[in-house]
């Protein structure tokens, strides 16, 4: 197994290699099947990035985009987990909601821009709605499958010890489904960024997506690449935050060098084990 420093070195080398290739292709205006004649070089993009970092407009755009992402994603996480759990646990809720969810789920969130314009009095609320819609369905579907996959033995163990429905839900169902739910959240944060940037390009007034599109319209190609780099960095930041939060919440899950490992068959999650043993949950 590779040492940690070896893996870090490989990852750094991959990034540096990609940047070096970009620099060569753009600097020498390579024009084969792909055309790099109008691409800014890495150094031009870096200089433009440094200039943008010193402006208030850049930080206002970053703040606007992050606010929209956090708001929409947080709403989707709460409602998605609630709806997914209810659909998985209740035949009545499943019959009432699942057909509607399956009809709406294939619709791309960005296609809801006209709906958002009609429904909401401001572009800001519409963009948050689109971000929410983008994240809601991955979270709901992941939660539904994760809850249905929880080992019945865990639930029976708590019921045998006298636990009620809410104790089972709190101590068995949600902890047992949490790794799957977190997988849905990881997918949702990436989809949210795609849609919030697209919505900002279409109907935003501020934000990284809006600024990137404005740079394109005035043929400021280094500015376009600054916007792309900013989107990538912010996406990585938020995805890492979701991942680290998930690790803290699922500290009881066995892990390998590459991430969470499968839970041994029949092993109770920590909250369920406490509930079954009569301890505090």
């Amino acid at each position: 197994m590779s040492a940690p420093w070896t893996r870090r070195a490989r990852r750094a080398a991959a990034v540096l290699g990609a940047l070096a290739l970009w620099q060569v292709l753009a600097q020498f205006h390579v024009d084969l099947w792909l055309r790099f004649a109008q691409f800014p070089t890495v150094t031009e993009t870096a200089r433009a990035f440094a200039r943008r970092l010193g402006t208030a407009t850049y930080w206002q755009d970053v703040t606007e985009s992050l606010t929209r992402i956090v708001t929409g994603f947080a709403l989707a996480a709460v409602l998605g987990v609630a709806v997914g759990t209810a659909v998985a646990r209740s035949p009545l809720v499943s019959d009432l909601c699942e057909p509607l969810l399956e009809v709406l789920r294939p619709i791309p969130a960005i296609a809801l821009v006209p709906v958002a314009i009609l429904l909401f009095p401001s572009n800001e609320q519409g963009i948050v709605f689109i971000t929410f819609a983008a994240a809601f369905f991955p979270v709901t579907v992941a939660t539904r499958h994760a809850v249905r996959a929880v080992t019945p033995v865990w639930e029976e163990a708590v019921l045998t010890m006298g636990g009620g429905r809410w104790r089972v839900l709190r101590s068995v169902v949600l902890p047992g489904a949490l790794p799957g739910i977190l997988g849905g959240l990881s997918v949702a944060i990436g989809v949210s960024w795609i849609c919030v940037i697209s919505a900002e390009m279409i109907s935003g007034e501020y934000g990284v997506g809006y600024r990137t599109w404005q740079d394109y319209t005035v043929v400021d190609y280094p500015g376009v690449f600054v916007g792309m780099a900013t989107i990538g960095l912010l996406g990585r930041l938020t995805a890492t935050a979701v991942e680290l939060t998930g690790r803290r919440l699922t500290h009881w899950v066995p892990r390998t060098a590459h991430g969470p490992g499968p839970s041994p068959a029949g092993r109770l999650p920590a909250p369920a084990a406490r509930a079954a043993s009569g301890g505090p949950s």
Side-chain angles (χ1 to χ4, degrees):
M1 186 176 295
S2 301
W5 68 266
T6 304
R7 297 193 64 201
R8 286 194 291 268
R10 285 203 302 258
R11 294 182 180 191
V15 173
L16 292 175
L19 292 175
L21 179 61
W22 171 10
Q23 177 72 23
V24 170
L25 292 173
Q27 183 172 347
F28 292 99
H29 306 295
V30 174
D31 192 0
L32 298 174
W33 181 61
L34 297 176
R35 300 173 298 173
F36 293 90
Q38 297 188 66
F39 259 50
T41 63
V42 175
T43 53
E44 290 171 342
T45 303
R47 286 194 293 268
F49 208 155
R51 288 194 300 269
R52 290 285 178 92
L53 288 174
T55 65
T57 302
Y58 177 84
W59 294 107
Q60 181 180 12
D61 289 334
V62 169
T63 301
E64 290 286 343
S65 293
L66 280 175
T67 300
R68 291 161 178 163
I69 276 286
V70 171
T71 304
F73 180 76
L75 290 172
V78 173
L79 292 179
V81 170
V83 172
T85 303
V87 167
R89 298 284 294 177
S90 170
L92 175 61
V93 176
S94 178
D95 291 341
L96 293 176
C97 297
E98 200 159 18
L100 183 60
L101 291 173
E102 291 304 313
V103 169
L104 295 176
R105 184 162 64 95
I107 301 174
I110 198 61
L112 298 176
V113 168
V115 177
I117 293 173
L118 293 174
L119 283 177
F120 296 96
S122 71
N123 287 343
E124 186 67 25
Q125 295 170 349
I127 293 173
V128 170
F129 166 73
I130 291 167
T131 307
F132 161 80
F136 174 76
F137 290 103
V139 176
T140 301
V141 172
T143 301
R144 181 185 66 189
H145 288 302
V147 169
R148 286 176 176 171
V150 171
T151 305
V153 174
W154 296 350
E155 183 173 342
E156 293 168 3
V158 177
L159 290 174
T160 301
M161 299 300 294
R165 177 183 302 176
W166 291 109
R167 185 67 174 267
V168 168
L169 181 64
R170 186 177 70 251
S171 300
V172 175
V173 175
L174 291 179
L178 196 53
I181 294 172
L182 290 168
L185 291 172
S186 296
V187 173
I189 192 67
V191 177
S192 295
W193 271 111
I194 294 172
C195 290
V196 75
I197 295 300
S198 301
E200 288 176 348
M201 288 181 173
I202 295 172
S203 60
E205 296 177 1
Y206 294 99
V208 179
Y210 169 80
R211 195 66 53 192
T212 302
W213 183 252
Q214 290 300 306
D215 288 334
Y216 172 75
T217 60
V218 299
V219 199
D220 180 6
Y221 294 130
V224 172
F225 279 79
V226 168
M228 293 168 60
T230 302
I231 294 164
L233 291 172
L234 292 176
R236 177 61 178 170
L237 175 66
T238 51
T240 300
V242 171
E243 181 181 351
L244 292 178
T245 302
R247 287 183 182 179
R248 290 183 65 88
L249 293 175
T250 58
H251 57 86
W252 47 270
V253 176
R255 299 181 187 279
T256 67
H258 301 288
S263 181
R267 176 174 176 174
L268 289 169
R274 289 194 296 270
S277 63
S281 60

